[in-house]
Amino acid sequence: VRRPAAPPPPAPAPSAPAPRRRQGTKRRGSGQPPSAPGGPDDERRRRKRERNLREQERTHRITERIAELRDAIAEAGVPSKPDRHSTLVSVVGYIRTLQDRSRRLDGEMRGLLETIAGAGRLAGDGGSTSGGSSSSCGGARRSRGGGGAP
């Protein structure tokens, strides 16, 4: 008893051929072959490489400066996350804090200078009106006047 032969398996469906691309070349929008060495394409590539190098150097310098800022605020005890944005936000906040502190200290210093100038005027007036006993009194005033802060 012979069995009938099985039909052959179906042939695979034809698939679309994969797009062919030359290795090591970039796509060109014009479809033109590459130009001869020293031509306009070489000049464009050279300028593009130089521009990319300059941008990489600029990015590297910015990264270094942000790292310096991160170290500076860490030394100052300012909390910050290690990413660039958080570092810059923390630096801006710290600068504003320092500016406020500077304004406050400038005001205190002006007040102290005014107190010292007033004490000097009092000491000068006391010494010229009467003899030696008033000058010792002026010294007492100076020590009291210089001790108080506004």
Side-chain angles (χ1 to χ4, degrees):
V1 174
R2 269 185 99 172
R3 292 186 184 176
S15 62
R20 293 178 67 188
R21 195 169 162 211
R22 287 181 275 170
Q23 290 184 345
T25 60
K26 293 183 179 180
R27 291 185 178 181
R28 296 195 188 317
S30 65
Q32 299 290 326
S35 61
D41 280 350
D42 279 353
E43 180 65 21
R44 275 190 226 118
R45 281 190 213 109
R46 183 187 63 77
R47 284 195 316 253
K48 186 174 182 177
R49 271 194 313 271
E50 289 174 355
R51 197 169 42 246
N52 287 343
L53 264 175
R54 284 192 308 268
E55 179 63 18
Q56 286 175 359
E57 289 169 356
R58 186 186 74 84
T59 302
H60 182 69
R61 286 192 308 267
I62 290 170
T63 300
E64 287 177 343
R65 296 306 163 258
I66 289 177
E68 287 179 33
L69 289 171
R70 187 178 301 122
D71 293 344
I73 61 172
E75 288 175 14
V78 177
S80 177
K81 294 179 183 175
D83 65 283
R84 294 173 132 195
H85 178 264
S86 297
T87 298
L88 294 174
V89 167
S90 296
V91 167
V92 168
Y94 186 58
I95 288 171
R96 288 190 177 139
T97 300
L98 292 175
Q99 288 172 331
D100 290 344
R101 183 184 299 172
S102 176
R103 279 191 286 276
R104 184 176 39 83
L105 291 173
D106 283 346
E108 286 181 24
M109 185 179 71
R110 277 191 299 277
L112 290 171
L113 290 174
E114 289 172 6
T115 301
I116 291 170
R121 283 191 301 272
L122 288 175
D125 289 344
S128 63
T129 56
S130 59
S133 64
S134 294
S135 66
S136 66
C137 184
R141 265 192 229 136
R142 190 176 324 128
S143 65
R144 276 183 280 153

